[in-house]
Amino acid sequence: MARLGLLSHASATGLTLSERLAAAKVYFRAHGENVARSGTFLSSVIHESLMNSRDHRENILDPRFDEVGIGVVQASNRAYYVTQDFVQSLDLKPEPESLDFLLRRIREVRGPMSLPALEWVDEISVSARDYACLRAAGKIFEAVPGEFRGSQVSFTAGPDLAEIADLIGKKSAGPFVRGGLGVFSGRTPEYPGGGYYVCAILLPASPRGGLGPRDLAEVVFQAANSVRREGNFEPLMFDGRLNRAASASRKRPGRTKAVTPTIGPKRFEIVYETPDLTVLPTPMIPALKVSSFRKVGIAVSPATNKWGMVEYFTVAVVLARS
């Protein structure tokens, strides 16, 4: 300003205060600037003049600001040019440290809500970190990978890591049991003073994913007997020998994709895949309405993806005449 003989908030090369702070490697949440020209070098006079100006006074007394840089230069015409740069400082944590903070804070937020501890899966966190970097780069994407079907994918950004953690903790108040967390920290056009971009991928418990083989078979058994009741047929009865046959049929190579039943004079057998055990395949319904079929064997095994979510169940059902 002294060299050019003018007052300006832009530098001689056109840089704004944000750009000058970034070039000086200053991280900040907020900033403000006062510039002044004075015919005297007496600091008390210059300060009084700034305090008598509403905008300058607001910067000096802004409670957010906790750091200041002051420059004074005398011009060739003996005038003094003064700059006061104020910032609300930001201690931008490196990503490993910020991730540890987020995990700890989210756990603290969920605690009073009587929510179980989330299981954080490294593989999911890798994807979450990639998403956070994409969002920080300003890239918008809508598609969520198929393996995250039914999940909650949320993005939170800002300079306040505690505030971000609190928001994620509140968003996680649902049927979520595991997930991944990824964070990018640094300067972006949206946050020139530095900020965090956090992606949280939260996965719900897989439907019936916590049940054992016997309980899973019971779900299919009840669905089959529901069809029997509708037709006024006597309910089916579990048979241990048929259960073993169903288990062997379920494991037979090349059978998991088949929905075509095997029908014999005394036996009906079908192997199918389904995401919902209460929904029976269409070819099975007529067999359930054969009154002479009284015994049943059922075997069920869940198929999980790499995130631990059940994608579908392989079911084998064997019906036999009494």
Side-chain angles (χ1 to χ4, degrees):
M1 291 190 296
R3 180 167 56 83
L4 298 176
L6 56 83
L7 288 176
S8 174
H9 288 288
S11 71
T13 56
L15 295 179
T16 65
L17 174 57
S18 291
E19 291 167 332
R20 283 183 277 129
L21 289 170
K25 303 187 184 311
V26 176
Y27 290 111
F28 58 90
R29 299 187 188 190
H31 61 68
E33 183 174 66
N34 289 340
V35 295
R37 179 171 48 207
S38 172
T40 175
F41 62 88
L42 294 175
S43 58
S44 59
V45 174
I46 298 173
H47 177 67
E48 183 179 357
S49 176
L50 289 169
M51 290 293 287
N52 287 334
S53 166
R54 186 190 66 181
D55 292 341
H56 296 93
R57 179 186 179 91
E58 286 180 358
N59 276 337
I60 293 172
L61 299 181
D62 192 320
R64 297 175 301 167
F65 298 148
D66 54 11
E67 292 184 358
V68 63
I70 299 175
V72 181
V73 173
Q74 185 180 20
S76 57
N77 61 2
R78 294 187 171 277
Y80 289 88
Y81 287 83
V82 179
T83 302
Q84 297 173 325
D85 287 339
F86 304 90
V87 300
Q88 180 184 13
S89 59
L90 171 63
D91 178 21
L92 195 69
K93 294 178 171 58
E95 290 174 17
E97 185 179 338
S98 59
L99 187 59
D100 287 343
F101 175 88
L102 287 166
L103 295 174
R104 184 173 63 255
R105 184 78 173 226
I106 291 171
R107 187 166 56 247
E108 292 171 354
V109 172
R110 287 172 57 87
M113 294 189 283
S114 300
L115 296 170
L118 289 168
E119 176 191 354
W120 298 107
V121 181
D122 290 342
E123 291 86 349
I124 304 176
S125 294
V126 170
S127 293
R129 207 270 175 177
D130 290 342
Y131 290 177
C133 291
L134 287 171
R135 186 53 61 93
K139 297 180 180 178
I140 306 300
F141 51 93
E142 298 178 359
V144 175
E147 61 263 29
F148 297 141
R149 219 172 19 248
S151 65
Q152 174 181 284
V153 181
S154 63
F155 296 90
T156 314
D160 192 323
L161 200 58
E163 186 176 289
I164 291 174
D166 291 348
L167 287 172
I168 295 174
K170 292 173 183 176
K171 288 179 182 178
S172 70
F176 305 111
V177 295
R178 64 177 62 85
L181 201 65
V183 58
F184 167 88
S185 62
R187 300 184 196 275
T188 66
E190 186 178 6
Y191 295 101
Y196 304 93
Y197 288 77
V198 180
C199 174
I201 302 175
L202 300 174
L203 281 64
S206 299
R208 309 187 189 280
L211 298 180
R214 183 170 298 181
D215 292 327
L216 293 173
E218 179 69 26
V219 175
V220 180
F221 179 70
Q222 294 298 335
N225 272 329
S226 177
V227 175
R228 301 277 289 187
R229 284 194 299 271
E230 291 174 2
N232 294 317
F233 299 111
E234 291 188 26
L236 297 168
M237 296 179 294
F238 267 128
D239 182 272
R241 181 174 53 84
L242 294 179
N243 281 338
R244 290 190 292 274
S247 180
S249 180
R250 178 201 61 195
K251 297 176 182 177
R252 199 176 304 159
R255 296 301 305 274
T256 57
K257 296 296 181 182
V259 185
T260 303
T262 301
I263 303 174
K266 295 184 178 181
R267 196 148 123 165
F268 171 92
E269 180 180 324
I270 188 170
V271 179
Y272 62 95
E273 293 177 354
T274 178
D276 187 347
L277 292 176
T278 63
V279 178
L280 304 176
T282 301
M284 183 175 164
I285 304 302
L288 292 172
K289 296 180 179 179
V290 176
S291 60
S292 58
F293 282 144
R294 297 286 301 280
K295 297 179 180 180
V296 66
I298 301 173
V300 182
S301 61
T304 59
N305 59 26
K306 62 181 179 179
W307 315 123
M309 294 181 69
V310 174
E311 291 193 326
Y312 62 89
F313 300 92
T314 300
V315 184
V317 178
V318 180
L319 297 171
R321 302 184 190 276
S322 58

